[in-house]
Amino acid sequence: MSQLPKACIIGAGCSGFTTAKRLKDFGIDYDCFEMSDDIGGNWYFKNPNGMSACYESLHIDTSKWRLAFEDFPAPADWPDFPHHAQLLRYFKDYVDHFGLRDTITFNTGVEKARRTPGGLWDVTLSTGETRAYDVLFVCNGHHWSPRIPEYPGTFEGPAFHSHAYSDPFDPIDMRGKNVVVVGMGNSAMDIASELAQRPIAKNLWVSARRGVWVLPKYMNGKPADKSAMPSWMPRKLGLSMARKMIKKNLGNMEDYGLPKPDHEPLEAHPSVSGEFLTRAGCGDIKFKPAIKVLEGKRVRFADDTVEDVDAIVFATGYDMRFPFFDDPELVPDANHRLPLFKRMMKPGVPNLFYMALAQPLPTLVNFAEQQSKLAAAYLGGRYLPPPLAEMERLIVKDEETHLGQYYQAKRHTIQVDFGIYVDDLRREIARGEKRAKSAGNPLPVPGRSPAEGV
């Protein structure tokens, strides 16, 4: 190629518009398509595209100190944990500040994305038009396709995923109801804490297969994520110190009326809440094991206790889906596994980038902003990936680093430690710059494997 490639960006949430900003900085032409009428993705409350999981009371669990974009500081007058409306305003200000809005095509989705025999991308839009691109960026997020478990029997009351929850009166009025919230992740704890406040739910039970460690938003008077162990500290030492600090500050989960976790703190994706433990300790939230069978207007649990239940809220996570891909090699398997080089590149497909397809701690908001540094440098000819065999080796090594502390579960296939990841990414970009200089700083050829040369 004698000129820079042209890219297609799917989605204008925080991963999409920060990727667009980086490509713009590098002079790389792109089209960004967004199904909705505005940017924001999951943080756009009542997003007309139906894919936002926001509820009215939602505050982000990441502090403003950790979620801010590096070239666009968060407002100084923000609280430590901003409301979703503040975060969306911040996103809009970012897009307008960097002149990105006019580069985004709104109310237009990507229906299909197929690789051509030559390795380029044919992208079919919701308008019916098909366009050709050199590079594809997947920025459609992974918190929009609700996963609802199946149980024996039937339930005669309203039962819906937390994705549909807006407030205690929408989609149904929860006042005076007996409610079961299934799950013990962040959304489950927020919703349960809200509904348990009198006089909303009459009875509120949280049902889960196992106990979890519920971490606070604050530790020692400061946002807990500001106390993250430095990335240079040996992994085992940092985890050991963090676990001791958590146990010292929280005590035992059983003391709050919750089940004893079958794992250590930080062996699972953290469940963070500033209210849940207080509500549980006050008896406003009661715990039940997993649902065993649905019996009309009653629910039987694994311990064979039975309760009269008016409504069930499933806070049971999401499936990772890319409906625009027909190629099964480009989507996660049944266990949500999709091994990627630096959690963004699939070996053998050098012109495809999965942005923010990870569950980084402490923040996902500015994760793609960091990933876009490598992607833009690559497309601009300043970075060259390693050969395929080395990419595969590094994928295994990186997964051991980032996943080794967690018990095996679908929700833990894409975990990464933000600090460790960013430090490693910085080193990889430097290595790739040396490779590119040795190769004469070539522009990448779409469709050709790095092992073949570019």
Side-chain angles (χ1 to χ4, degrees):
M1 295 178 64
S2 59
Q3 59 185 15
L4 293 172
K6 182 167 184 177
C8 172
I9 302 173
I10 302 176
C14 54
S15 60
F17 64 70
T18 53
T19 296
K21 191 265 181 185
R22 188 79 59 184
L23 297 187
K24 183 179 179 182
D25 288 346
F26 274 67
I28 298 168
D29 194 15
Y30 66 88
D31 290 330
C32 180
F33 298 104
E34 169 54 51
M35 332 175 35
S36 187
D37 60 357
D38 208 340
I39 61 99
N42 204 34
W43 291 96
Y44 178 177
F45 182 55
K46 291 187 180 285
N47 194 325
N49 67 12
M51 293 186 176
S52 171
C54 261
Y55 34 93
E56 177 58 44
S57 61
L58 178 64
H59 288 72
I60 192 167
D61 291 325
T62 307
S63 74
K64 67 178 180 180
W65 315 101
R66 300 305 300 267
L67 66 81
F69 300 120
E70 63 183 30
D71 51 5
F72 195 73
D77 60 351
W78 263 13
D80 289 331
F81 298 96
H83 184 257
H84 66 75
Q86 293 173 300
L87 194 59
L88 181 61
R89 180 70 265 164
Y90 175 58
F91 289 169
K92 290 182 178 181
D93 290 345
Y94 178 102
V95 166
D96 294 339
H97 177 78
F98 292 111
L100 304 175
R101 186 168 293 277
D102 290 343
T103 72
I104 301 170
T105 303
F106 293 105
N107 299 305
T108 304
V110 170
E111 299 287 336
K112 294 292 180 184
R114 297 186 178 94
R115 292 191 84 203
T116 69
L120 303 181
W121 291 96
D122 279 345
V123 174
T124 302
L125 306 175
S126 56
T127 61
E129 180 185 3
T130 297
R131 300 184 186 182
Y133 293 94
D134 302 307
V135 184
L136 187 69
F137 285 89
V138 176
C139 304
N140 69 317
H142 51 92
H143 291 116
W144 58 269
S145 180
R147 181 170 63 247
I148 298 179
E150 295 183 357
Y151 302 101
T154 57
F155 181 65
E156 295 180 5
F160 53 91
H161 196 274
S162 59
H163 190 269
Y165 179 84
S166 178
D167 59 48
F169 317 108
D170 182 16
I172 67 166
D173 189 340
M174 300 283 198
R175 287 175 296 187
K177 301 288 197 304
N178 292 329
V179 181
V180 173
V181 175
V182 181
M184 290 191 75
N186 292 331
S187 295
M189 295 194 174
D190 277 358
I191 293 171
S193 297
E194 182 168 65
L195 295 180
Q197 297 181 59
R198 304 298 173 88
I200 302 178
K202 180 180 180 181
N203 287 291
L204 192 290
W205 297 280
V206 167
S207 166
R209 292 172 295 177
R210 67 203 311 166
V212 303
W213 288 92
V214 183
L215 306 187
K217 287 189 173 183
Y218 285 89
M219 296 280 276
N220 299 319
K222 297 180 180 180
D225 57 21
K226 291 185 73 174
S227 303
M229 297 300 173
S231 57
W232 52 261
M233 180 176 290
R235 184 77 162 162
K236 288 185 178 180
L237 176 60
L239 284 172
S240 177
M241 292 177 62
R243 285 168 179 159
K244 288 179 180 178
M245 180 172 63
I246 289 168
K247 290 180 177 180
K248 180 179 179 180
N249 277 271
L250 293 181
N252 299 317
M253 292 296 100
E254 308 94 286
D255 295 338
Y256 302 90
L258 300 174
K260 181 179 180 179
D262 60 3
H263 56 277
E264 289 291 297
L266 306 179
E267 284 186 357
H269 182 76
S271 296
V272 179
S273 175
E275 296 181 61
F276 186 85
L277 291 180
T278 299
R279 295 283 122 223
C282 292
D284 295 336
I285 293 174
K286 297 174 282 291
F287 181 82
K288 288 287 185 179
I291 292 176
K292 183 177 181 179
V293 62
L294 303 174
E295 301 176 345
K297 294 183 178 180
R298 309 178 82 198
V299 174
R300 182 178 298 274
F301 299 92
D303 60 358
D304 276 326
T305 58
V306 179
E307 301 290 351
D308 294 324
V309 174
D310 298 306
I312 301 175
V313 182
F314 296 104
T316 45
Y318 295 84
D319 290 320
M320 290 187 289
R321 294 187 56 222
F322 307 103
F324 37 80
F325 284 145
D326 292 331
D327 186 346
E329 295 297 317
L330 302 182
V331 299
D333 65 18
N335 293 316
H336 279 192
R337 283 190 49 77
L338 183 62
L340 299 171
F341 177 66
K342 302 308 170 189
R343 278 256 44 95
M344 59 193 298
M345 296 179 69
K346 185 172 179 62
V349 190
N351 56 345
L352 171 63
F353 297 88
Y354 297 84
M355 306 302 286
L357 182 58
Q359 195 68 49
L361 296 175
T363 176
L364 181 62
V365 171
N366 52 19
F367 189 71
E369 178 191 38
Q370 301 302 315
Q371 291 183 313
S372 67
K373 296 175 182 178
L374 183 149
Y378 177 34
L379 299 183
R382 304 181 191 180
Y383 168 87
L384 193 62
L388 285 177
E390 179 65 4
M391 293 177 79
E392 297 281 8
R393 186 190 72 80
L394 289 171
I395 288 174
V396 173
K397 179 177 178 292
D398 288 348
E399 290 199 346
E400 289 175 351
T401 297
H402 291 288
L403 307 184
Q405 74 191 66
Y406 299 99
Y407 66 77
Q408 290 191 355
K410 283 185 178 181
R411 69 184 305 210
H412 294 148
T413 58
I414 56 174
Q415 291 287 143
V416 297
D417 182 292
F418 186 92
I420 292 174
Y421 178 91
V422 172
D423 282 353
D424 175 66
L425 188 71
R426 189 180 299 115
R427 290 191 294 270
E428 172 55 31
I429 291 173
R431 289 190 292 266
E433 288 176 345
K434 291 180 180 178
R435 290 190 291 264
K437 289 179 180 178
S438 297
N441 291 78
L443 287 170
V445 179
R448 184 178 296 175
S449 159
E452 300 174 81
V454 291

